[in-house]
Amino acid sequence: MNFLTRIRSSIGWDKGVGALLVLTIVIGSLVTPDFATTSNLGFVVQDIGEIMIIALPMTFLIIAGEIDLSVASALSLVSSSIGYSFAHGVPFGWALVIGILVGLATGALNGFLVNYLGLQSLAVTIGTMGLFRGLCFVLLGSNPVNQLPDFWTGLGINNIPGTFLPWSFLLIAPLVIIALILLHFTRIGRWTFAAGISSEAANFAGIPVKRFKFFMYVATGFMVSLAAIVYTLRFASASPDSAMGYELTTIAAVLFGGVSIAGGFGTMWGVIFSVIELGAIRSVLQLVNFSSNALQIVSGSLLLFSVAVPKVAEMLKARRETRVKTPTPSLTSSRSVE
Amino acid sequence: MRNLLRIRELPIAVVLVAFFSIAALGNHQLFSFSGLHDLLFGSSIICLLVSAETLIIVMKHIDLSIGSTIGFASYIIGKNASNGHGLLYCLLLGIIFGLAVGAVNGLLVAYFKLPSLVVTLGTLYLVRGLFNQVAGGDFINSDKVPHVLSFMASHTFAKIPYLFIVAFVLALIVGFYMRNFRSGRDLYAIGSNLPAAYLAGIKVEKRTFWAFTAAGGIAGLGGALLIARFGQAQANSGLGIELGVVAACVVGGVAIAGGIGTVFGAIIGALLLQTIVLALGALGVSQFWQGVVNGALLIAAISLDKVLSSRSQRTQIMRVSE
């Protein structure tokens, strides 16, 4: 554990995840010859596409000290509204626009409840999670819409001609780069960290915290609708039970990427590595014929692992320091729990 | 304190009665013994689980893993019963399984000081994944459910379904414990002011650990009710039930901010949610609206709670300034 502590303090968790990714790739290519192929790389990109798109705004939210558990239901709602409008005669292109509007509305609702009514984001988004999922079933009943136009579903399934990458790569890569720049090189990113460290102090420093977080939720809604479009085209179907459990996978990926659940700490690099790592592990497991349930187990373990290890390292460090210095009363450790 | 509690649960009870009456006016079938039976029978699982969730939420924690736990426990009970083991043995296995999951949650939350949301999300995932792995496409059907359980599901005592009686008795025990025992009161102290609870010498870690473990055990016991109620167990049993449980607690006045609320309030909340579902059905609204109503009601309850608590805070401040 000493070793882990040192890793965390010297090179940082996010780079550790990067190293783990390299390790996974090496092991994966040793275990199965099918892993390190271009076609499998294309498959992994397609496999983690939606998670990556949602993980980007989720990183901002968690760093700012909030959370959104409704993303998967919102994704499903966007997908359902696309399917619903298309089934009711709206041209598919316009159905996508309607989907994006619905996505923005879901984000705005969450943002309004959290920021302007001042409710806890955890509780609110558990509520909207149920609300959005319920609306999916109200829209579509239990019948998925399957007959989507070939041109569009081709975009979801086929690769860019002459390459091994799916079309969604053209959407995801710029989004990743934009998110990276926004978080680490602009004022928006600094505001995000400030809001996460102390919302009150940020407010006094002149940051319009409420409005800022509101727009963060709206942006989340927008990104969710993009993810929903990718998802709908990839499966060539809009069904009310889409993306079940994606919120957990996304949050697991963000936390495993080194973002602190308490807010104020984390890097976009770590999250990007972590999502790819998730895809790589899943791919290796699938190629060696592990069951599909493995992903649930892996995600759950990663989630627990990623919160437990830093905490244990921190506790050990604190214990070592108290042994060296004057003993601190146990109250200090209890305060940090809040 | 006593007055406060009474005030807190009275409005929701009034809403429940009013709603039930209005719905019954629209559809006379509801206002009968069979309507009452449907209400109690349909809400018995949630009524059992709110006892577990209330223990956790008053400590300002949350347990999302109970849905996976109750599902897996119901499968364990069903599987062992169909292998010819006795009911008591199966029940014990289910409860032990629940206690184990709860103990893992409790260990990580209480002693590792990890956020309960993340921990229980993780165990929700883990347990469901293991459950899928173990159960696969296996399906425990109704003729393999232990006879006592299927009898309890189909019979009533004084017009009250046995399943609800089990849930209610458990709620009585948990409610009495939380109200009258010192360690029960400690849970409220932990939820309302953690540093103060430490300063007051409360064994925060121990209480938190055992509360999570107990909640897991209750969910394990709930597995028996789940398999009795639906007469089957499969890999998606209990999926997503935690949302309804948290909604029932919050609607029933258990504040998500910790320190406030009782099991009885939560049960009234569960009954209210079930009444709305039944009323919607009776008034011919599609079953698909159920999720929407649950979600909307949860949000409404949190908002109302926020408004009420900020109002009472304001009066407190005024009183101080006078």
Side-chain angles (χ1 to χ4, degrees):
Chain A
M1 281 305 162
N2 246 340
F3 174 66
L4 279 169
T5 320
R6 212 157 51 229
I7 284 189
R8 186 160 168 74
S9 54
S10 58
I11 65 166
W13 179 269
D14 51 339
K15 297 185 191 67
V17 174
L20 194 63
L21 176 59
V22 174
L23 191 71
T24 312
I25 292 172
V26 171
I27 293 176
S29 7
L30 290 178
V31 170
T32 159
D34 299 328
F35 180 73
T37 57
T38 49
S39 66
N40 189 45
L41 181 60
F43 175 76
V44 171
V45 170
Q46 203 162 37
D47 196 33
I48 60 172
E50 299 91 14
I51 300 288
M52 183 66 98
I53 298 175
I54 308 174
L56 302 174
M58 187 69 85
T59 308
F60 278 87
L61 281 176
I62 296 182
I63 290 179
E66 302 291 346
I67 201 162
D68 188 349
L69 290 175
S70 72
V71 282
S73 301
L75 190 159
S76 181
L77 180 57
V78 171
S79 179
S80 299
S81 12
I82 291 172
Y84 180 82
S85 7
F86 180 68
H88 286 71
V90 179
F92 197 73
W94 284 106
L96 294 182
V97 174
I98 292 176
I100 292 178
L101 290 178
V102 169
L104 289 172
T106 60
L109 177 64
N110 281 331
F112 172 76
L113 292 170
V114 171
N115 296 299
Y116 293 109
L117 291 190
L119 307 176
Q120 275 194 325
S121 56
L122 169 65
V124 164
T125 56
I126 288 180
T128 51
M129 173 168 89
L131 182 71
F132 298 156
R133 183 69 69 184
L135 284 173
C136 296
F137 282 97
V138 169
L139 276 180
L140 292 183
S142 39
N143 317 311
V145 178
N146 288 322
Q147 307 291 328
L148 304 181
D150 289 340
F151 166 72
W152 289 99
T153 54
L155 282 181
I157 297 157
N158 299 330
N159 289 341
I160 306 169
T163 67
F164 54 84
L165 291 168
W167 281 101
S168 59
F169 184 76
L170 284 186
L171 176 69
I172 297 166
L175 287 177
V176 167
I177 294 169
I178 292 171
L180 189 66
I181 293 174
L182 272 183
L183 184 63
H184 292 298
F185 302 103
T186 68
R187 191 165 66 175
I188 291 177
R190 286 190 292 277
W191 281 9
T192 309
F193 283 102
I197 292 166
S198 170
S199 185
E200 209 171 332
N203 210 7
F204 281 128
I207 300 172
V209 175
K210 275 187 183 173
R211 207 182 339 144
F212 178 58
K213 281 188 183 170
F214 174 77
F215 281 109
M216 205 181 271
Y217 273 102
V218 175
T220 307
F222 178 70
M223 298 290 275
V224 162
S225 59
L226 293 185
I229 291 172
V230 173
Y231 187 94
T232 310
L233 297 184
R234 179 155 78 96
F235 290 99
S237 153
S239 81
D241 56 356
S242 300
M244 280 288 189
Y246 269 42
E247 67 279 345
L248 306 183
T249 316
T250 310
I251 292 169
V254 171
L255 296 181
F256 186 64
V259 175
S260 154
I261 186 79
F265 185 83
T267 67
M268 197 53 89
W269 276 121
V271 174
I272 295 166
F273 283 143
S274 150
V275 175
I276 302 174
E277 164 77 7
L278 207 69
I281 291 184
R282 183 178 180 168
S283 169
V284 173
L285 290 178
Q286 274 169 351
L287 288 174
V288 297
N289 276 330
F290 235 70
S291 97
S292 57
N293 304 318
L295 184 76
Q296 268 185 325
I297 302 175
V298 168
S299 309
S301 319
L302 279 189
L303 187 62
L304 291 180
F305 182 77
S306 57
V307 287
V309 170
K311 200 77 197 191
V312 169
E314 196 180 290
M315 282 160 76
L316 287 174
K317 198 177 160 195
R319 185 173 295 176
R320 213 176 42 230
E321 274 168 8
T322 49
R323 220 182 301 151
V324 177
K325 290 184 219 155
T326 50
T328 17
S330 63
L331 192 68
T332 45
S333 64
S334 68
R335 273 207 184 120
S336 67
V337 179
E338 280 183 274
Chain B
M1 192 67 203
R2 216 163 158 192
N3 274 336
L4 253 175
L5 285 179
R6 200 176 292 156
I7 289 166
R8 201 171 160 79
E9 271 121 31
L10 198 64
I12 181 81
V14 170
V15 169
L16 172 63
V17 172
F19 200 92
F20 195 78
S21 317
I22 292 169
L25 283 181
N27 185 316
H28 292 291
Q29 225 174 352
L30 208 63
F31 207 57
S32 63
F33 275 124
S34 83
L36 192 66
H37 174 271
D38 288 350
L39 171 63
L40 298 180
F41 183 70
S43 61
S44 52
I45 306 285
I46 303 275
C47 282
L48 183 94
L49 288 178
V50 292
S51 302
E53 196 68 54
T54 306
L55 281 172
I56 306 296
I57 296 183
V58 293
M59 292 191 307
K60 208 178 176 176
H61 285 298
I62 197 159
D63 188 349
L64 297 177
S65 68
I66 47 172
S68 299
T69 310
I70 191 175
F72 204 171
S74 78
Y75 179 79
I76 290 173
I77 292 168
K79 187 72 191 170
N80 282 289
S82 60
N83 285 347
H85 292 291
L87 177 65
L88 260 182
Y89 174 82
C90 301
L91 260 183
L92 210 61
L93 275 184
I95 293 174
I96 288 174
F97 168 76
L99 288 173
V101 176
V104 171
N105 285 334
L107 181 75
L108 291 171
V109 173
Y111 293 103
F112 283 55
K113 316 258 179 235
L114 300 175
S116 55
L117 167 71
V118 182
V119 167
T120 56
L121 265 184
T123 46
L124 175 152
Y125 238 157
L126 264 176
V127 172
R128 181 64 63 181
L130 290 172
F131 182 17
N132 284 339
Q133 188 75 30
V134 172
D138 202 4
F139 183 87
I140 311 278
N141 54 16
S142 53
D143 54 315
K144 285 176 186 156
V145 175
H147 291 302
V148 179
L149 290 182
S150 40
F151 174 83
M152 280 172 68
S154 51
H155 289 77
T156 57
F157 177 79
K159 307 272 187 204
I160 299 172
Y162 276 112
L163 293 186
F164 184 78
I165 294 177
V166 173
F168 193 73
V169 168
L170 193 85
L172 279 180
I173 297 169
V174 175
F176 184 76
Y177 166 76
M178 290 181 74
R179 205 175 95 94
N180 293 49
F181 279 68
R182 178 165 176 182
S183 50
R185 301 310 304 169
D186 285 353
L187 301 182
Y188 287 97
I190 292 169
S192 47
N193 193 336
L194 187 64
Y198 270 108
L199 285 176
I202 292 171
K203 295 172 186 127
V204 175
E205 284 87 3
K206 194 174 152 193
R207 297 277 180 266
T208 312
F209 174 79
W210 284 110
F212 270 96
T213 309
I218 293 174
L221 174 70
L225 262 66
L226 192 69
I227 196 170
R229 158 131 160 66
F230 292 105
Q232 60 174 58
Q234 54 183 330
N236 66 359
S237 290
L239 190 68
I241 204 171
E242 61 277 350
L243 174 66
V245 176
V246 174
C249 288
V250 174
V251 168
V254 183
I256 204 107
I260 303 172
T262 64
V263 177
F264 307 111
I267 282 194
I268 296 173
L271 291 177
L272 179 61
L273 288 180
Q274 186 67 22
T275 308
I276 291 173
V277 170
L278 287 178
L280 287 178
L283 301 177
V285 180
S286 144
Q287 183 90 45
F288 294 123
W289 281 93
Q290 184 183 337
V292 181
V293 171
N294 277 359
L297 210 65
L298 175 57
I299 297 169
I302 313 165
S303 313
L304 191 69
D305 197 44
K306 174 83 182 175
V307 173
L308 291 180
S309 70
S310 64
R311 200 178 58 187
S312 69
Q313 217 161 32
R314 216 177 299 145
T315 51
Q316 239 169 17
I317 292 167
M318 277 168 66
R319 230 175 267 148
V320 169
S321 63
E322 266 162 19

